[in-house]
Amino acid sequence: MLASIVSALLCGMRGYSGITDWVHSQPKESWYWLGFTRRPPKLGAFRDLLIALPAGALEDAVEQWVAQLLDDDSISTEEDAPLQAVAMDGKTLRGTLAKHQRAIHLLSLLDQRTGYTLRQLQVDGKTNEHKAALELLKTMVLKGRVVTGDAMFCQRDLCQQIIDQGGHYFFEVKDNQPDLRESIEAEFQSAFSPLQRTPAA
């Protein structure tokens, strides 16, 4: 059943109905290949399985599978080697809003070349993505990688942690950090000679 769920998700299906419809629309030969010896179960069985399945155990298994596909050992640590880009982004899960509770919000690290999710962490309702990022990055080797993200992650402690872990970063700077923006813009202004300065009137 898990193989069927993964296959359906890889084909773009979302939700219990989509997964069930995809499985039942496959030819019988595919059912046997997926491990079914008779007609696949209905929606309720897939739903019950996913609810009962420990999320942490499933994430660990998928994480190990993705690591094998990406072959982390192939990431070069040579100074002149191309860096592997990793995008850091947060998303609120649709359909998770409950009464008197916030919707589930996840912070993820994605491999930009393949789109695989390398790591993810649920952002606690009492904190924010910036603080969660500090914890999430501790779980990953950053040497040979460049972490990208939006202006939310342009924080001194986060940037320093990435450097300390041997990685690189590329974050956006917006108008809500005027001093930093002005300093960066000043670095890219054309140089001039003091002799070319216009005398004061």
Side-chain angles (χ1 to χ4, degrees):
M1 289 179 68
L2 286 176
S4 301
I5 293 169
V6 171
S7 299
L9 291 173
L10 290 174
C11 289
M13 300 298 108
R14 295 293 181 268
Y16 304 123
S17 296
I19 293 171
T20 306
D21 291 344
W22 181 87
V23 173
H24 283 266
S25 68
Q26 302 307 307
K28 291 183 179 179
E29 293 77 11
S30 296
W31 294 350
Y32 299 140
W33 179 78
L34 289 168
F36 297 110
T37 56
R38 54 184 180 180
R39 189 172 183 82
K42 299 290 186 180
L43 183 149
F46 285 105
R47 180 180 180 277
D48 292 343
L49 172 63
L50 289 173
I51 290 175
L53 193 67
L58 179 59
E59 285 188 0
D60 290 343
V62 173
E63 192 175 289
Q64 293 175 21
W65 174 63
V66 169
Q68 291 176 353
L69 292 177
L70 294 177
D71 189 12
D72 280 353
D73 293 335
S74 67
I75 299 174
S76 177
T77 56
E78 299 294 330
E79 292 296 329
D80 58 347
L83 297 173
Q84 180 186 19
V86 177
M88 184 161 54
D89 194 20
K91 296 293 180 188
T92 299
L93 298 185
R94 187 175 62 180
T96 60
L97 184 63
K99 190 174 182 179
H100 305 302
Q101 292 183 353
R102 295 178 58 182
I104 295 175
H105 193 81
L106 296 178
L107 180 63
S108 303
L109 288 172
L110 297 95
D111 178 71
Q112 291 192 20
R113 180 172 57 87
T114 62
Y116 290 142
T117 299
L118 303 173
R119 300 282 191 281
Q120 69 179 10
L121 176 71
Q122 183 173 340
V123 180
D124 189 278
K126 298 179 181 178
T127 185
N128 55 36
E129 287 186 11
H130 162 225
K131 296 300 182 184
L134 295 170
E135 297 301 318
L136 181 61
L137 290 175
K138 290 178 183 178
T139 67
M140 188 169 179
V141 176
L142 296 183
K143 198 165 186 179
R145 291 184 163 113
V146 56
V147 180
T148 67
D150 59 25
M152 179 183 298
F153 301 113
C154 192
Q155 305 290 337
R156 188 183 299 274
D157 56 349
L158 183 59
C159 295
Q160 187 61 54
Q161 180 175 320
I162 293 172
I163 292 172
D164 291 344
Q165 289 183 230
H168 303 265
Y169 62 86
F170 189 85
F171 297 139
E172 185 178 5
V173 177
K174 290 188 176 179
D175 293 334
N176 62 341
Q177 295 177 305
D179 294 339
L180 177 60
R181 186 183 179 96
E182 289 177 8
S183 297
I184 293 173
E185 289 176 346
E187 292 295 326
F188 288 92
Q189 290 178 0
S190 301
F192 67 92
S193 170
L195 298 176
Q196 296 174 335
R197 179 175 297 173
T198 303

